Amino acid sequence: MSTTTALRTFPDVRADFPGLTPGWHYLDTAATAQKPQAVIDATVAAMGRDYATVHRGVYARSADMTLAYEAARRRIAAFIGARENEIAFVRGATEAINLVAYSHPKKGRVLLSTLEHHSNIVPWQLAGWQVDVCPLTEDGRIDLDAAEKLLTPEHTMVAFAHVSNVLGSPLDVARAADLAHRVGAELLIDGCQAVPRLPVDVAALGCDYYVFSGHKLYGPTGVGVLWSDKLDALPPWQGGGSMIDRVTFAKTTYAPAPTRFEAGTPAIIEAIGLAAAVDYVETIGIDAIHAHECALVGSLREALARKNSITLFGPENSAGIVSFAMAGVHPHDIGTILDESGVAIRAGHHCAQPLMEHLGVAATARASFGVYSNDDDVAALIDGLARVERIFG
C-alpha cells in the first residue's frame, strides 16, 4: 500500500480523543498516548458507579468488580497471545523490569544494547547484574550479529527494546530469542513502543519476558504488564496483602503466580481502563495502525531529508517515531518554537543518555505518531520547522 493510500484509507479518529483540541498537533505519543473517550468512560464507571475492591468482599459489587478485573487480565493476555495466568499487573514497564531484575534467581551477566531506555539499564545495575552492551548497526538497529559474538554461557539474561523509543528501530525478537537461548540465557523484551503499533504474539516471538506500560497503549497511567510463562519460577518481590497463601509470624507462604506479584490493592480502575484501550485498538486493527504510522513516518522522513539543516537518526522503516537534529539549534529551542505554532514534540535525551552519546549529540527532537495522527500534523511540523530556520537563520 502506498503512503498516500494508507493515509487516505485510515479512519479519522481524532474526535474520539477529547484531549486533541482544535489546532493542536500532538506528536509526542511515544512519551504518552492521548486517551479515547471509550477509555475515559470505562475508568469513570469503574471509579464511580461500579467501584469496589477486588478479591476480598463477599458482597455483590465486590464480586462484580473482581470479575471485571480478571476479565481485563484475560483481555490483555489475549491481545498479546498469552494465557491469563501469565499476566501480572504492575505499575508500568519500569516496575516490571525491576521485578525481574531483583527477583530473578540467577543474577549474572545481562546483555543490553546501546539504545536502551534508562528503565532497561538502571534496574539491572541496582540489582547487581554485570552489564554488557551490544552495539548498533550503522542505521541504528541492535546489531544481532555482534550480539551473537558477545553472548557467552555466563549470560543469564538478554534485555532489549522491541522498538527504540528514540530511533523507532524494530528488533528481530525471534532471532534475539534464539541467540539468547543458545547460550542458556533468557530474553526480556521492553515492548512499550511496540505494543501500540505492532502485532505482538509472545509465543511466536519466543521471548521469556515481555513488558509494557498501559499509558502508551491509549490506557491509563499507573498500570503495566509483565508477561512470562516462567512467573512460577520467580519469588515474590513485594510483600503485603493478596499475594499470600498463609501468614504466621514464623513463616509465610505465597499465592501462585500471577497473584504473588500483585501485593496490596491492585490498580483496579487502571486495569479495566487498559482493557478498554485494547478493545479500542483492536476495533481499528493493529495492522492498520502500523501501516498508517509507517506512512506518516515515510512522509515526514522524506520531507525532513530535503532540508539541509536536518540530520535524521534511525532506520528508514522506523516504527512510528522520527528523531532529528537541526544544525545550530538546540532541540529545546525547536520544541519551544514549535509549541508556539501548536505543535507538540519531545526534545531532550529521552531517558536514553548512552544512546545520545553514541549519536554524538546532547539531545534530539522527536516526533512520534499515534492512531489520531494525520498528514496535517506532518505539514504543521514542517511549517513550524521552517519558522525555526527563519528565526535562527
Side-chain angles (χ1 to χ4, degrees):
M1 184 182 294
S2 70
T3 297
T4 303
T5 302
L7 293 174
R8 187 186 301 122
T9 59
F10 193 79
D12 182 358
V13 298
R14 285 180 64 88
D16 294 343
F17 293 83
L20 296 177
T21 52
W24 192 50
H25 302 276
Y26 184 70
L27 292 170
D28 197 20
T29 300
T32 194
Q34 295 291 317
K35 315 308 173 193
Q37 190 64 49
V39 169
I40 297 169
D41 291 344
T43 57
V44 168
M47 189 181 295
R49 180 197 65 206
D50 301 334
Y51 186 73
T53 191
V54 297
H55 299 148
R56 292 176 176 86
V58 295
Y59 49 92
R61 188 184 290 189
S62 176
D64 289 343
M65 186 59 96
T66 298
L67 290 173
Y69 179 74
E70 292 302 330
R73 191 192 307 275
R74 290 192 298 275
R75 184 71 187 88
I76 294 159
F79 183 61
I80 60 169
R83 294 180 293 184
E84 63 182 290
N85 65 346
E86 299 169 344
I87 291 287
F89 286 124
V90 288
R91 288 182 298 169
T94 298
E95 182 171 272
I97 296 171
N98 273 276
L99 190 161
V100 176
Y102 278 92
S103 294
H104 200 279
K106 295 182 180 179
K107 293 184 180 67
R109 303 194 78 91
V110 57
L111 181 65
L112 309 177
S113 82
T114 301
L115 59 68
E116 301 306 318
H117 190 281
H118 294 165
S119 61
N120 198 26
I121 300 173
V122 180
W124 305 104
Q125 295 171 330
L126 286 173
W129 293 71
Q130 295 174 283
V131 174
D132 295 316
V133 183
C134 180
L136 307 181
T137 61
E138 188 174 343
D139 65 349
R141 305 170 190 270
I142 298 173
D143 189 340
L144 292 181
D145 290 337
E148 184 173 14
K149 297 173 183 176
L150 286 166
L151 283 168
T152 73
E154 292 184 6
H155 289 96
T156 51
M157 186 68 68
V158 177
F160 288 160
H162 195 166
V163 171
S164 166
N165 74 304
V166 177
L167 305 175
S169 315
L171 173 71
D172 182 347
V173 178
R175 186 183 175 206
D178 179 62
L179 295 177
H181 295 159
R182 284 185 200 176
V183 299
E186 293 179 326
L187 176 66
L188 180 145
I189 293 295
D190 171 1
C192 283
Q193 300 298 339
V195 166
R197 53 181 53 95
L198 296 177
V200 171
D201 182 332
V202 289
L205 292 175
C207 55
D208 301 282
Y209 307 92
Y210 198 97
V211 309
F212 61 93
S213 294
H215 70 100
K216 297 180 193 293
L217 185 58
Y218 309 98
T221 56
V223 68
V225 168
L226 165 63
W227 169 84
S228 179
D229 57 2
K230 300 173 175 62
L231 289 181
D232 283 326
L234 297 181
W237 181 43
Q238 297 175 324
S242 291
M243 49 76 69
I244 55 86
D245 172 35
R246 178 171 172 76
V247 176
T248 71
F249 285 111
K251 181 181 180 181
T252 295
T253 55
Y254 306 108
T259 306
R260 72 170 64 164
F261 302 112
E262 297 177 9
T265 300
I268 304 166
I269 297 160
E270 292 80 1
I272 290 170
L274 181 54
V278 166
D279 286 341
Y280 182 83
V281 166
E282 289 209 324
T283 297
I284 298 171
I286 196 71
D287 289 323
I289 292 169
H290 179 51
H292 177 66
E293 292 190 5
C294 284
L296 290 168
V297 164
S299 177
L300 178 56
R301 289 186 69 95
E302 181 180 349
L304 292 177
R306 291 195 291 265
K307 291 182 173 290
N308 293 331
S309 62
I310 295 291
T311 299
L312 278 164
F313 302 105
E316 290 293 328
N317 71 332
S318 56
I321 296 168
V322 178
S323 281
F324 60 94
M326 180 179 284
V329 186
H330 195 281
H332 288 167
D333 293 323
I334 296 173
T336 299
I337 295 169
L338 287 174
D339 184 47
E340 294 171 355
S341 302
V343 179
I345 66 162
R346 180 54 60 98
H349 57 63
H350 315 295
C351 293
Q353 288 176 316
L355 177 56
M356 295 299 111
E357 184 177 354
H358 168 77
L359 296 175
V361 297
T364 70
R366 183 188 71 188
S368 52
F369 300 111
V371 295
Y372 35 67
S373 304
N374 57 32
D375 48 7
D376 288 342
D377 297 321
V378 174
L381 174 57
I382 297 302
D383 288 346
L385 290 174
R387 181 168 178 257
V388 175
E389 289 175 316
R390 289 194 299 272
I391 290 172
F392 282 88

Short mmCIF file of all heavy atoms in Angstrom, two decimals, residues 11-69:
data_model
loop_
_atom_site.label_atom_id
_atom_site.label_comp_id
_atom_site.label_asym_id
_atom_site.label_seq_id
_atom_site.Cartn_x
_atom_site.Cartn_y
_atom_site.Cartn_z
N PRO A 11 -9.15 5.56 9.07
CA PRO A 11 -10.27 6.36 9.59
C PRO A 11 -9.77 7.56 10.40
O PRO A 11 -8.74 7.49 11.08
CB PRO A 11 -11.02 5.37 10.48
CG PRO A 11 -10.00 4.34 10.86
CD PRO A 11 -9.10 4.20 9.66
N ASP A 12 -10.50 8.65 10.33
CA ASP A 12 -10.19 9.83 11.13
C ASP A 12 -10.82 9.64 12.51
O ASP A 12 -12.04 9.69 12.66
CB ASP A 12 -10.75 11.08 10.46
CG ASP A 12 -10.41 12.36 11.22
OD1 ASP A 12 -9.78 12.25 12.30
OD2 ASP A 12 -10.78 13.45 10.77
N VAL A 13 -9.98 9.39 13.51
CA VAL A 13 -10.48 9.08 14.85
C VAL A 13 -10.23 10.20 15.84
O VAL A 13 -10.43 10.02 17.05
CB VAL A 13 -9.85 7.76 15.38
CG1 VAL A 13 -10.22 6.59 14.47
CG2 VAL A 13 -8.33 7.89 15.50
N ARG A 14 -9.79 11.37 15.37
CA ARG A 14 -9.44 12.45 16.29
C ARG A 14 -10.62 12.83 17.20
O ARG A 14 -10.41 13.19 18.36
CB ARG A 14 -8.97 13.67 15.50
CG ARG A 14 -7.56 13.53 14.94
CD ARG A 14 -7.15 14.78 14.16
NE ARG A 14 -7.07 15.95 15.03
CZ ARG A 14 -5.98 16.31 15.71
NH1 ARG A 14 -4.88 15.57 15.62
NH2 ARG A 14 -5.99 17.39 16.46
N ALA A 15 -11.83 12.73 16.69
CA ALA A 15 -12.99 13.10 17.50
C ALA A 15 -13.17 12.18 18.71
O ALA A 15 -13.88 12.53 19.66
CB ALA A 15 -14.25 13.08 16.64
N ASP A 16 -12.53 11.00 18.68
CA ASP A 16 -12.62 10.07 19.80
C ASP A 16 -11.76 10.51 20.98
O ASP A 16 -11.86 9.92 22.07
CB ASP A 16 -12.18 8.66 19.38
CG ASP A 16 -13.10 8.03 18.35
OD1 ASP A 16 -14.24 8.52 18.20
OD2 ASP A 16 -12.69 7.05 17.70
N PHE A 17 -10.90 11.50 20.78
CA PHE A 17 -9.90 11.87 21.77
C PHE A 17 -10.14 13.31 22.24
O PHE A 17 -9.73 14.27 21.58
CB PHE A 17 -8.49 11.74 21.18
CG PHE A 17 -8.10 10.33 20.88
CD1 PHE A 17 -8.50 9.72 19.70
CD2 PHE A 17 -7.34 9.60 21.79
CE1 PHE A 17 -8.14 8.40 19.42
CE2 PHE A 17 -6.99 8.28 21.52
CZ PHE A 17 -7.39 7.68 20.34
N PRO A 18 -10.79 13.48 23.38
CA PRO A 18 -11.12 14.83 23.84
C PRO A 18 -9.90 15.69 24.16
O PRO A 18 -10.01 16.92 24.19
CB PRO A 18 -11.97 14.59 25.09
CG PRO A 18 -11.68 13.20 25.52
CD PRO A 18 -11.35 12.44 24.27
N GLY A 19 -8.75 15.08 24.37
CA GLY A 19 -7.55 15.85 24.64
C GLY A 19 -6.97 16.53 23.42
O GLY A 19 -6.11 17.42 23.55
N LEU A 20 -7.42 16.13 22.23
CA LEU A 20 -6.90 16.71 20.99
C LEU A 20 -7.76 17.92 20.61
O LEU A 20 -8.68 17.82 19.81
CB LEU A 20 -6.89 15.66 19.88
CG LEU A 20 -5.96 14.47 20.12
CD1 LEU A 20 -6.08 13.47 18.99
CD2 LEU A 20 -4.50 14.92 20.27
N THR A 21 -7.42 19.05 21.19
CA THR A 21 -8.18 20.26 20.94
C THR A 21 -7.89 20.79 19.54
O THR A 21 -6.81 20.55 18.98
CB THR A 21 -7.83 21.33 21.99
OG1 THR A 21 -6.40 21.48 22.04
CG2 THR A 21 -8.32 20.91 23.36
N PRO A 22 -8.84 21.52 18.94
CA PRO A 22 -8.65 22.03 17.57
C PRO A 22 -7.39 22.89 17.46
O PRO A 22 -7.09 23.71 18.32
CB PRO A 22 -9.91 22.87 17.34
CG PRO A 22 -10.93 22.27 18.25
CD PRO A 22 -10.18 21.83 19.47
N GLY A 23 -6.64 22.65 16.38
CA GLY A 23 -5.43 23.43 16.12
C GLY A 23 -4.20 22.95 16.86
O GLY A 23 -3.12 23.55 16.71
N TRP A 24 -4.34 21.89 17.64
CA TRP A 24 -3.19 21.36 18.38
C TRP A 24 -2.71 20.08 17.72
O TRP A 24 -3.51 19.15 17.50
CB TRP A 24 -3.56 21.10 19.83
CG TRP A 24 -2.38 20.83 20.73
CD1 TRP A 24 -1.25 21.57 20.85
CD2 TRP A 24 -2.25 19.73 21.64
NE1 TRP A 24 -0.42 21.02 21.79
CE2 TRP A 24 -1.02 19.88 22.30
CE3 TRP A 24 -3.07 18.65 21.98
CZ2 TRP A 24 -0.56 18.99 23.27
CZ3 TRP A 24 -2.62 17.76 22.95
CH2 TRP A 24 -1.38 17.92 23.58
N HIS A 25 -1.42 20.00 17.41
CA HIS A 25 -0.84 18.86 16.72
C HIS A 25 0.05 18.09 17.70
O HIS A 25 1.18 18.51 17.99
CB HIS A 25 -0.05 19.33 15.49
CG HIS A 25 -0.88 20.11 14.52
ND1 HIS A 25 -1.65 19.51 13.55
CD2 HIS A 25 -1.08 21.45 14.38
CE1 HIS A 25 -2.29 20.44 12.86
NE2 HIS A 25 -1.95 21.62 13.35
N TYR A 26 -0.49 17.00 18.19
CA TYR A 26 0.19 16.23 19.24
C TYR A 26 1.09 15.18 18.60
O TYR A 26 0.61 14.20 18.01
CB TYR A 26 -0.83 15.56 20.16
CG TYR A 26 -0.20 14.83 21.33
CD1 TYR A 26 0.41 15.53 22.36
CD2 TYR A 26 -0.21 13.45 21.39
CE1 TYR A 26 0.98 14.88 23.43
CE2 TYR A 26 0.35 12.77 22.46
CZ TYR A 26 0.96 13.49 23.49
OH TYR A 26 1.52 12.82 24.54
N LEU A 27 2.40 15.36 18.74
CA LEU A 27 3.38 14.46 18.15
C LEU A 27 4.33 13.94 19.23
O LEU A 27 5.55 13.88 19.04
CB LEU A 27 4.15 15.17 17.03
CG LEU A 27 3.32 15.51 15.79
CD1 LEU A 27 4.07 16.43 14.85
CD2 LEU A 27 2.90 14.23 15.06
N ASP A 28 3.75 13.56 20.37
CA ASP A 28 4.56 13.03 21.48
C ASP A 28 3.95 11.74 22.04
O ASP A 28 4.01 11.48 23.23
CB ASP A 28 4.66 14.09 22.59
CG ASP A 28 5.80 13.79 23.57
OD1 ASP A 28 6.71 13.03 23.21
OD2 ASP A 28 5.75 14.33 24.70
N THR A 29 3.38 10.94 21.17
CA THR A 29 2.72 9.71 21.60
C THR A 29 3.71 8.70 22.16
O THR A 29 3.33 7.87 23.00
CB THR A 29 1.92 9.11 20.43
OG1 THR A 29 0.94 10.08 20.01
CG2 THR A 29 1.21 7.83 20.82
N ALA A 30 4.97 8.73 21.73
CA ALA A 30 5.96 7.81 22.28
C ALA A 30 6.17 8.05 23.76
O ALA A 30 6.57 7.14 24.50
CB ALA A 30 7.29 7.93 21.53
N ALA A 31 5.93 9.28 24.23
CA ALA A 31 6.04 9.58 25.66
C ALA A 31 4.80 9.10 26.39
O ALA A 31 4.88 8.40 27.40
CB ALA A 31 6.24 11.08 25.88
N THR A 32 3.64 9.47 25.86
CA THR A 32 2.37 9.00 26.42
C THR A 32 1.28 9.27 25.40
O THR A 32 1.32 10.29 24.71
CB THR A 32 2.06 9.69 27.76
OG1 THR A 32 1.00 8.99 28.43
CG2 THR A 32 1.70 11.15 27.61
N ALA A 33 0.35 8.36 25.27
CA ALA A 33 -0.72 8.49 24.27
C ALA A 33 -1.91 9.23 24.86
O ALA A 33 -2.22 9.11 26.05
CB ALA A 33 -1.16 7.11 23.79
N GLN A 34 -2.58 10.00 24.01
CA GLN A 34 -3.87 10.58 24.40
C GLN A 34 -4.89 9.45 24.59
O GLN A 34 -4.72 8.35 24.07
CB GLN A 34 -4.34 11.55 23.33
CG GLN A 34 -3.45 12.77 23.17
CD GLN A 34 -3.51 13.70 24.37
OE1 GLN A 34 -4.59 13.97 24.89
NE2 GLN A 34 -2.36 14.20 24.80
N LYS A 35 -5.94 9.74 25.36
CA LYS A 35 -6.91 8.70 25.73
C LYS A 35 -8.22 8.85 24.97
O LYS A 35 -8.81 9.95 24.94
CB LYS A 35 -7.21 8.75 27.22
CG LYS A 35 -5.99 8.91 28.10
CD LYS A 35 -4.89 7.89 27.83
CE LYS A 35 -3.63 8.22 28.63
NZ LYS A 35 -2.47 7.46 28.16
N PRO A 36 -8.71 7.78 24.36
CA PRO A 36 -10.02 7.86 23.70
C PRO A 36 -11.15 7.93 24.73
O PRO A 36 -10.99 7.49 25.88
CB PRO A 36 -10.08 6.56 22.89
CG PRO A 36 -9.21 5.62 23.63
CD PRO A 36 -8.10 6.44 24.22
N GLN A 37 -12.27 8.46 24.30
CA GLN A 37 -13.41 8.61 25.20
C GLN A 37 -13.85 7.26 25.77
O GLN A 37 -14.30 7.18 26.93
CB GLN A 37 -14.58 9.26 24.46
CG GLN A 37 -15.72 9.67 25.38
CD GLN A 37 -15.33 10.74 26.38
OE1 GLN A 37 -14.73 11.75 26.00
NE2 GLN A 37 -15.64 10.53 27.65
N ALA A 38 -13.68 6.19 25.01
CA ALA A 38 -14.08 4.87 25.50
C ALA A 38 -13.29 4.47 26.74
O ALA A 38 -13.83 3.84 27.66
CB ALA A 38 -13.90 3.83 24.40
N VAL A 39 -12.02 4.83 26.78
CA VAL A 39 -11.18 4.53 27.95
C VAL A 39 -11.59 5.41 29.12
O VAL A 39 -11.69 4.96 30.26
CB VAL A 39 -9.69 4.70 27.60
CG1 VAL A 39 -8.82 4.65 28.86
CG2 VAL A 39 -9.26 3.61 26.62
N ILE A 40 -11.81 6.69 28.84
CA ILE A 40 -12.24 7.61 29.89
C ILE A 40 -13.56 7.13 30.49
O ILE A 40 -13.72 7.10 31.73
CB ILE A 40 -12.38 9.03 29.31
CG1 ILE A 40 -11.00 9.54 28.84
CG2 ILE A 40 -12.98 9.98 30.34
CD1 ILE A 40 -11.06 10.80 28.02
N ASP A 41 -14.49 6.73 29.65
CA ASP A 41 -15.79 6.27 30.14
C ASP A 41 -15.64 5.01 31.01
O ASP A 41 -16.30 4.87 32.05
CB ASP A 41 -16.73 5.97 28.98
CG ASP A 41 -17.17 7.23 28.24
OD1 ASP A 41 -17.01 8.33 28.79
OD2 ASP A 41 -17.67 7.10 27.10
N ALA A 42 -14.78 4.10 30.58
CA ALA A 42 -14.58 2.85 31.33
C ALA A 42 -13.98 3.14 32.70
O ALA A 42 -14.39 2.53 33.71
CB ALA A 42 -13.69 1.90 30.54
N THR A 43 -13.03 4.06 32.77
CA THR A 43 -12.40 4.36 34.05
C THR A 43 -13.35 5.14 34.96
O THR A 43 -13.37 4.92 36.17
CB THR A 43 -11.09 5.14 33.86
OG1 THR A 43 -11.34 6.33 33.11
CG2 THR A 43 -10.06 4.30 33.12
N VAL A 44 -14.13 6.04 34.39
CA VAL A 44 -15.10 6.79 35.20
C VAL A 44 -16.13 5.85 35.81
O VAL A 44 -16.48 5.94 37.00
CB VAL A 44 -15.78 7.89 34.36
CG1 VAL A 44 -16.98 8.47 35.09
CG2 VAL A 44 -14.78 8.99 34.02
N ALA A 45 -16.64 4.92 35.01
CA ALA A 45 -17.61 3.96 35.53
C ALA A 45 -16.99 3.09 36.61
O ALA A 45 -17.62 2.81 37.65
CB ALA A 45 -18.14 3.09 34.39
N ALA A 46 -15.75 2.65 36.40
CA ALA A 46 -15.09 1.80 37.38
C ALA A 46 -14.79 2.56 38.67
O ALA A 46 -14.83 1.99 39.77
CB ALA A 46 -13.80 1.23 36.79
N MET A 47 -14.52 3.84 38.55
CA MET A 47 -14.20 4.65 39.72
C MET A 47 -15.47 5.09 40.47
O MET A 47 -15.44 5.34 41.67
CB MET A 47 -13.42 5.90 39.29
CG MET A 47 -12.85 6.71 40.45
SD MET A 47 -11.95 8.19 39.89
CE MET A 47 -10.60 7.41 39.02
N GLY A 48 -16.58 5.15 39.75
CA GLY A 48 -17.81 5.64 40.36
C GLY A 48 -18.87 4.58 40.52
O GLY A 48 -18.91 3.86 41.52
N ARG A 49 -19.70 4.44 39.54
CA ARG A 49 -20.88 3.57 39.62
C ARG A 49 -20.55 2.13 40.02
O ARG A 49 -21.28 1.50 40.80
CB ARG A 49 -21.58 3.58 38.25
CG ARG A 49 -22.82 2.74 38.14
CD ARG A 49 -23.15 2.51 36.66
NE ARG A 49 -22.12 1.73 35.99
CZ ARG A 49 -21.87 1.79 34.68
NH1 ARG A 49 -22.56 2.60 33.91
NH2 ARG A 49 -20.93 1.02 34.15
N ASP A 50 -19.43 1.58 39.52
CA ASP A 50 -19.12 0.16 39.72
C ASP A 50 -18.10 -0.09 40.81
O ASP A 50 -17.76 -1.24 41.08
CB ASP A 50 -18.58 -0.43 38.41
CG ASP A 50 -19.54 -0.29 37.25
OD1 ASP A 50 -20.76 -0.22 37.51
OD2 ASP A 50 -19.08 -0.25 36.09
N TYR A 51 -17.61 0.95 41.47
CA TYR A 51 -16.40 0.79 42.28
C TYR A 51 -16.60 -0.06 43.53
O TYR A 51 -17.57 0.09 44.28
CB TYR A 51 -15.85 2.14 42.71
CG TYR A 51 -14.52 1.99 43.41
CD1 TYR A 51 -13.37 1.67 42.69
CD2 TYR A 51 -14.43 2.09 44.79
CE1 TYR A 51 -12.16 1.47 43.33
CE2 TYR A 51 -13.22 1.90 45.43
CZ TYR A 51 -12.09 1.58 44.70
OH TYR A 51 -10.89 1.38 45.34
N ALA A 52 -15.66 -0.95 43.74
CA ALA A 52 -15.50 -1.72 44.98
C ALA A 52 -14.12 -2.36 44.91
O ALA A 52 -13.46 -2.35 43.86
CB ALA A 52 -16.58 -2.78 45.12
N THR A 53 -13.67 -2.93 46.01
CA THR A 53 -12.39 -3.62 45.99
C THR A 53 -12.55 -4.98 45.32
O THR A 53 -13.67 -5.42 45.00
CB THR A 53 -11.82 -3.78 47.41
OG1 THR A 53 -10.46 -4.22 47.32
CG2 THR A 53 -12.63 -4.78 48.21
N VAL A 54 -11.43 -5.65 45.09
CA VAL A 54 -11.45 -6.96 44.43
C VAL A 54 -10.82 -8.02 45.32
O VAL A 54 -10.04 -7.72 46.22
CB VAL A 54 -10.69 -6.91 43.07
CG1 VAL A 54 -11.37 -5.96 42.10
CG2 VAL A 54 -9.23 -6.53 43.26
N HIS A 55 -11.20 -9.27 45.07
CA HIS A 55 -10.60 -10.43 45.70
C HIS A 55 -10.82 -10.52 47.21
O HIS A 55 -10.22 -11.34 47.87
CB HIS A 55 -9.08 -10.49 45.42
CG HIS A 55 -8.72 -10.57 43.99
ND1 HIS A 55 -7.56 -10.02 43.49
CD2 HIS A 55 -9.36 -11.12 42.93
CE1 HIS A 55 -7.49 -10.22 42.19
NE2 HIS A 55 -8.57 -10.89 41.82
N ARG A 56 -11.69 -9.65 47.77
CA ARG A 56 -11.85 -9.65 49.22
C ARG A 56 -13.33 -9.70 49.65
O ARG A 56 -13.70 -10.45 50.53
CB ARG A 56 -11.19 -8.41 49.83
CG ARG A 56 -9.67 -8.40 49.72
CD ARG A 56 -9.12 -7.09 50.27
NE ARG A 56 -7.66 -7.05 50.30
CZ ARG A 56 -6.91 -6.67 49.29
NH1 ARG A 56 -7.48 -6.34 48.14
NH2 ARG A 56 -5.60 -6.66 49.39
N GLY A 57 -14.13 -8.82 49.06
CA GLY A 57 -15.50 -8.67 49.53
C GLY A 57 -16.39 -9.85 49.14
O GLY A 57 -16.22 -10.47 48.08
N VAL A 58 -17.35 -10.14 50.00
CA VAL A 58 -18.32 -11.19 49.69
C VAL A 58 -19.62 -10.59 49.16
O VAL A 58 -20.54 -11.33 48.79
CB VAL A 58 -18.62 -12.06 50.93
CG1 VAL A 58 -17.39 -12.80 51.37
CG2 VAL A 58 -19.18 -11.21 52.07
N TYR A 59 -19.68 -9.27 49.12
CA TYR A 59 -20.89 -8.62 48.63
C TYR A 59 -20.86 -8.55 47.10
O TYR A 59 -19.80 -8.69 46.46
CB TYR A 59 -21.06 -7.24 49.25
CG TYR A 59 -19.84 -6.35 49.21
CD1 TYR A 59 -19.62 -5.47 48.15
CD2 TYR A 59 -18.89 -6.41 50.23
CE1 TYR A 59 -18.49 -4.67 48.11
CE2 TYR A 59 -17.76 -5.61 50.19
CZ TYR A 59 -17.56 -4.74 49.13
OH TYR A 59 -16.43 -3.96 49.09
N ALA A 60 -22.01 -8.31 46.52
CA ALA A 60 -22.18 -8.48 45.08
C ALA A 60 -21.31 -7.55 44.26
O ALA A 60 -20.71 -7.96 43.26
CB ALA A 60 -23.66 -8.28 44.71
N ARG A 61 -21.23 -6.26 44.67
CA ARG A 61 -20.46 -5.34 43.83
C ARG A 61 -18.98 -5.70 43.84
O ARG A 61 -18.30 -5.58 42.82
CB ARG A 61 -20.65 -3.90 44.27
CG ARG A 61 -20.00 -2.94 43.27
CD ARG A 61 -20.05 -1.50 43.67
NE ARG A 61 -21.41 -0.95 43.60
CZ ARG A 61 -21.67 0.35 43.74
NH1 ARG A 61 -20.67 1.21 43.95
NH2 ARG A 61 -22.91 0.79 43.67
N SER A 62 -18.46 -6.14 44.97
CA SER A 62 -17.06 -6.57 45.02
C SER A 62 -16.84 -7.78 44.10
O SER A 62 -15.83 -7.86 43.39
CB SER A 62 -16.66 -6.92 46.44
OG SER A 62 -15.34 -7.42 46.49
N ALA A 63 -17.79 -8.70 44.11
CA ALA A 63 -17.68 -9.86 43.23
C ALA A 63 -17.72 -9.44 41.77
O ALA A 63 -16.95 -9.95 40.94
CB ALA A 63 -18.80 -10.85 43.53
N ASP A 64 -18.58 -8.47 41.45
CA ASP A 64 -18.66 -7.99 40.07
C ASP A 64 -17.37 -7.29 39.65
O ASP A 64 -16.91 -7.45 38.52
CB ASP A 64 -19.85 -7.03 39.92
CG ASP A 64 -21.20 -7.73 40.00
OD1 ASP A 64 -21.23 -8.97 39.86
OD2 ASP A 64 -22.21 -7.03 40.23
N MET A 65 -16.82 -6.51 40.56
CA MET A 65 -15.57 -5.81 40.24
C MET A 65 -14.42 -6.79 40.09
O MET A 65 -13.56 -6.63 39.22
CB MET A 65 -15.25 -4.76 41.31
CG MET A 65 -14.05 -3.90 40.97
SD MET A 65 -14.24 -2.98 39.42
CE MET A 65 -14.82 -1.41 40.04
N THR A 66 -14.42 -7.82 40.90
CA THR A 66 -13.39 -8.87 40.75
C THR A 66 -13.50 -9.53 39.38
O THR A 66 -12.49 -9.76 38.71
CB THR A 66 -13.54 -9.92 41.86
OG1 THR A 66 -13.34 -9.29 43.13
CG2 THR A 66 -12.52 -11.04 41.69
N LEU A 67 -14.72 -9.82 38.96
CA LEU A 67 -14.92 -10.41 37.64
C LEU A 67 -14.44 -9.47 36.54
O LEU A 67 -13.79 -9.90 35.57
CB LEU A 67 -16.40 -10.74 37.42
CG LEU A 67 -16.97 -11.89 38.25
CD1 LEU A 67 -18.49 -11.98 38.06
CD2 LEU A 67 -16.30 -13.21 37.87
N ALA A 68 -14.69 -8.16 36.69
CA ALA A 68 -14.26 -7.20 35.68
C ALA A 68 -12.74 -7.08 35.64
O ALA A 68 -12.13 -6.98 34.57
CB ALA A 68 -14.89 -5.83 35.97
N TYR A 69 -12.13 -7.10 36.81
CA TYR A 69 -10.66 -7.00 36.90
C TYR A 69 -10.00 -8.22 36.25
O TYR A 69 -9.06 -8.09 35.46
CB TYR A 69 -10.26 -6.89 38.37
CG TYR A 69 -8.78 -6.82 38.63
CD1 TYR A 69 -8.06 -5.66 38.36
CD2 TYR A 69 -8.09 -7.91 39.18
CE1 TYR A 69 -6.69 -5.59 38.62
CE2 TYR A 69 -6.74 -7.84 39.45
CZ TYR A 69 -6.04 -6.68 39.17
OH TYR A 69 -4.69 -6.61 39.43
#
